Amino acid sequence: MSKDKTGDKSARDTHYANLRRAHRDARRERGEIPTPRQDKRKKLATDWKPPALTPEQVLLYGLHTVRAALDNPERQIIRLSVTQNAAARLELGDVSALPFPVETVTPQDLDRILGPDAIHQGVMLETRPLPHRRLEALRDCPLILVLDQVTDPHNVGAIMRSAVAFDAGALITTMRHSPTESGVLAKSASGALELIPYIQITNLADTIEELHRLGFQTIGLDSDGPQPLEGTFSAEKIALVLGSEGKGLRQKTRQIVTALARLDMPGAIKSLNVSNAAAIAMYAARQFLKG
């Protein structure tokens, strides 16, 4: 009598298909592979609208971003939404013992909230914005960074990461024409949002004047600056001021800073992305300050 192995083969195929799917989902959560653009995801991309958030709501996502937020005692956490795989990678332990609600979700659940292009790695944290900081608290900082209407949150996040690397005391920007605290900004900063004050002010000219009263030399980066940056430093406290992508510093800002300076570049291209320029300028400032 012959033995029908069809049922066994079908069960085996289903088992291996589930293993492959779980492996793909895990790699996707880690950001190692993109999510396939299937019809369902194309429809999600077309239909998706960002959630309406109140000013007291921030959605953070990504493993590094969320881990840094969880480790920040100043961060007020509302809720954590996480896949089983991401929970293990975050080393959360017994989630029932955490002092905030934890919801187990699928990657698709987070896609529906954050959008199909967010590399959330299986975790989303709903929080309150970080506390506001006052300029007076920067009195003893030797190096700070000021942004004049830099609008791209990816650039601001990259600048923030460099600012932490060079131990800048704060990142100051305007409330208008600059990104607020958000998931995109925090993801681009890769945890740096939790490590440096992000101060948003209403009037940049008034703020620069206040920095002067606090003893800062304010140096505006300009491709047509009269002298190289490294020959411009003259104070024990430095505030580097960088302008927006494309337009650079506004005229009022150019007039009010202590000095204008350029980054000398011998190559054919004479300007850099603002985040790259910020990193080079902070390196030069640190070399002067430790000299």
Side-chain angles (χ1 to χ4, degrees):
M1 176 173 153
S2 63
K3 187 176 180 181
D4 184 2
K5 297 184 179 180
T6 306
D8 291 344
K9 185 173 184 296
S10 176
R12 228 177 16 251
D13 288 348
T14 300
H15 172 69
Y16 287 123
N18 287 337
L19 288 177
R20 287 194 297 272
R21 188 177 301 110
H23 179 65
R24 282 197 304 271
D25 282 349
R27 290 190 66 197
R28 180 183 159 228
E29 289 173 24
R30 294 194 295 269
E32 295 174 359
I33 57 174
T35 301
R37 297 289 181 178
Q38 299 170 350
D39 290 344
K40 187 180 293 185
R41 288 191 61 78
K42 287 181 180 177
K43 185 176 188 303
L44 177 60
T46 302
D47 296 345
W48 180 78
K49 293 181 180 179
L53 301 177
T54 70
E56 291 302 307
Q57 256 182 315
V58 178
L59 297 182
L60 305 178
Y61 57 84
L63 291 169
H64 288 301
T65 301
V66 169
R67 180 72 269 171
L70 291 175
D71 291 340
N72 184 358
E74 293 190 336
R75 179 67 75 173
Q76 291 186 341
I77 297 168
I78 301 171
R79 181 183 298 102
L80 175 66
S81 301
V82 64
T83 64
Q84 290 182 342
N85 179 64
R89 297 188 67 199
L90 286 169
E91 300 180 347
L92 295 175
D94 181 8
V95 295
S96 65
L98 294 173
F100 47 81
V102 179
E103 178 186 14
T104 301
V105 295
T106 67
Q108 291 74 25
D109 293 330
L110 299 184
D111 286 344
R112 283 189 283 272
I113 299 171
L114 298 170
D117 296 322
I119 303 178
H120 50 67
Q121 299 175 291
V123 60
M124 179 184 75
L125 190 67
E126 183 181 349
T127 81
R128 303 289 184 211
L130 288 169
H132 293 291
R133 304 291 182 89
R134 294 183 177 275
L135 291 178
E136 183 66 27
L138 307 178
R139 178 180 295 277
D140 297 325
C141 297
L143 177 63
I144 62 173
L145 213 56
V146 181
L147 303 182
D148 184 8
Q149 297 190 349
V150 177
T151 58
D152 187 341
H154 298 92
N155 276 337
V156 175
I159 291 169
M160 190 175 288
R161 189 173 182 182
S162 296
V164 170
F166 288 106
D167 198 26
L171 182 62
I172 299 172
T173 188
T174 53
M175 286 184 178
R176 295 185 61 196
H177 307 295
S178 64
T180 58
E181 188 177 328
S182 69
V184 175
L185 172 64
K187 187 72 164 62
S188 300
S190 192
L193 177 62
E194 311 299 323
L195 301 174
I196 186 171
Y198 183 51
I199 303 175
Q200 292 192 286
I201 45 86
T202 54
N203 188 295
L204 185 58
D206 289 347
T207 297
I208 291 175
E209 292 287 12
E210 177 64 19
L211 291 175
H212 292 161
R213 286 190 288 272
L214 292 173
F216 283 90
Q217 178 192 19
T218 57
I219 303 175
L221 270 290
D222 188 285
S223 58
D224 295 324
Q227 58 183 325
L229 176 63
E230 56 269 31
T232 308
F233 302 121
S234 62
E236 295 181 355
K237 295 192 290 185
I238 296 166
L240 297 168
V241 187
L242 293 98
S244 65
E245 306 91 342
K247 294 181 179 180
L249 296 173
R250 288 176 293 169
Q251 185 61 31
K252 180 67 178 292
T253 307
R254 291 165 57 89
Q255 293 170 348
I256 203 170
V257 292
T258 309
L260 289 172
R262 66 180 185 272
L263 295 177
D264 265 347
M265 287 168 278
I269 295 176
K270 299 300 181 184
S271 63
L272 294 173
N273 173 280
V274 64
S275 64
N276 293 330
I280 293 171
M282 283 188 285
Y283 176 80
R286 275 294 170 197
Q287 293 299 107
F288 170 80
L289 290 169
K290 75 178 184 181

